Amino acid sequence: MGKMDEIIIVAPRAQLFNNEELAFQGTLQDKKLVEEIVSNINATYTTMRRGDAEEDESFKQPIPYAVIKRGNEIFVYERLQGAGETRLHNKLSIGVGGHMNALEELETFEEVLMENLNRELEEELIMTTNEQPELKVIGLINDDEDEVGRVHLCVLVVIEVHENTVIEVRETDQLQGQFFPIEKLKLNPFYERLENWSKIAMDIL
């Protein structure tokens, strides 16, 4: 099965954003509004073939997007030419995440999101630490200005790891990564190479 035949979670945009009353551009951190949108996803999400979802702007694909923070550093990775998403090649990213699959044994969208996020972290990274990382949802990111963003909705998660944590990428033919100081990432040439969601996330970190 090709990746575009994968069955993923989607939510109808009209219900998700209450017929655009809750629509926003950039970041949303207001706790009440974030909870309302997440509640709408929980009530209306369904599944769709990924290839169809990528072409249908009437649906949003919720994507967990985890920023790994170690003190004043952020883990950054670069998508190499071997990576699957050609639209993001050679871009820098501070977010780890991916499309979500339905898990019938779990009751809520939040549980499904965290289970999918943990799977993505396990698939993409080797994390060596003696301390349990702390995960926190800090908001949503919506970017309707490009073709990737128009069909996705980012659920922004910050993972605080201990200063002794070592992280390596698993798929070295597709990704390379390392920690960078936050201050450095906010300056060019690094900032201009960040993918859109990463730029938006950096602005609030």
Side-chain angles (χ1 to χ4, degrees):
M1 181 179 72
K3 70 173 185 175
M4 288 301 170
D5 292 320
E6 179 185 8
I7 303 302
I8 62 169
I9 286 176
V10 298
R13 181 183 176 110
Q15 283 88 349
L16 187 156
F17 286 142
N18 281 356
N19 294 316
E20 299 301 304
E21 288 182 9
L22 299 176
F24 66 97
Q25 184 71 11
T27 57
L28 180 66
Q29 294 179 274
D30 182 284
K31 186 176 180 181
K32 183 178 179 181
L33 294 178
V34 169
E35 289 177 351
E36 186 172 355
I37 291 173
V38 170
S39 177
N40 290 344
I41 296 173
N42 191 54
T44 64
Y45 80 83
T46 183
T47 57
M48 184 181 292
R49 177 181 170 273
R50 179 175 171 182
D52 297 329
E54 292 289 347
E55 302 295 330
D56 191 343
E57 294 183 7
S58 67
F59 286 87
K60 282 280 193 180
Q61 303 162 47
I63 305 286
Y65 198 72
V67 177
I68 302 173
K69 190 170 181 286
R70 187 179 68 181
N72 69 339
E73 297 179 310
I74 297 290
F75 187 77
V76 180
Y77 65 93
E78 179 179 357
R79 302 176 193 272
L80 305 176
Q81 291 295 335
E85 180 53 270
T86 57
R87 294 173 293 189
L88 298 175
H89 282 173
N90 298 317
K91 291 281 191 179
L92 298 178
S93 176
I94 63 169
V96 179
H99 292 86
M100 296 172 57
N101 304 120
L103 299 166
E104 294 181 1
E105 69 274 17
L106 300 180
E107 293 184 3
T108 69
F109 171 74
E110 292 93 330
E111 291 175 318
V112 174
L113 181 141
M114 286 302 177
E115 188 66 26
N116 275 273
L117 177 54
N118 286 328
R119 182 201 67 205
E120 284 289 333
L121 290 168
E122 180 67 24
E123 288 178 356
E124 294 196 16
L125 302 174
I126 302 168
M127 189 180 301
T128 306
T129 182
N130 295 324
E131 305 285 339
Q132 183 68 26
E134 180 183 347
L135 282 71
K136 183 180 180 182
V137 175
I138 67 167
L140 303 173
I141 296 177
N142 187 54
D143 177 21
D144 289 329
E145 294 186 354
D146 69 21
E147 61 179 359
V148 178
R150 279 192 290 273
V151 293
H152 296 89
L153 179 71
C154 165
V155 182
L156 185 59
V157 178
V158 170
I159 302 176
E160 295 270 3
V161 298
H162 193 265
E163 62 182 9
N164 66 2
T165 301
V166 176
I167 296 179
E168 302 170 81
V169 297
R170 290 188 185 276
E171 299 174 332
T172 54
D173 60 325
Q174 298 189 29
L175 303 170
Q176 62 184 21
Q178 61 182 304
F179 279 99
F180 275 94
I182 294 175
E183 296 78 12
K184 192 172 183 178
L185 290 170
K186 291 188 175 184
L187 301 174
N188 289 330
F190 298 100
Y191 185 83
E192 65 186 8
R193 290 185 60 203
L194 292 171
E195 63 188 33
N196 286 350
W197 279 2
S198 290
K199 284 181 179 177
I200 294 169
M202 277 303 307
D203 291 340
I204 64 171
L205 290 173

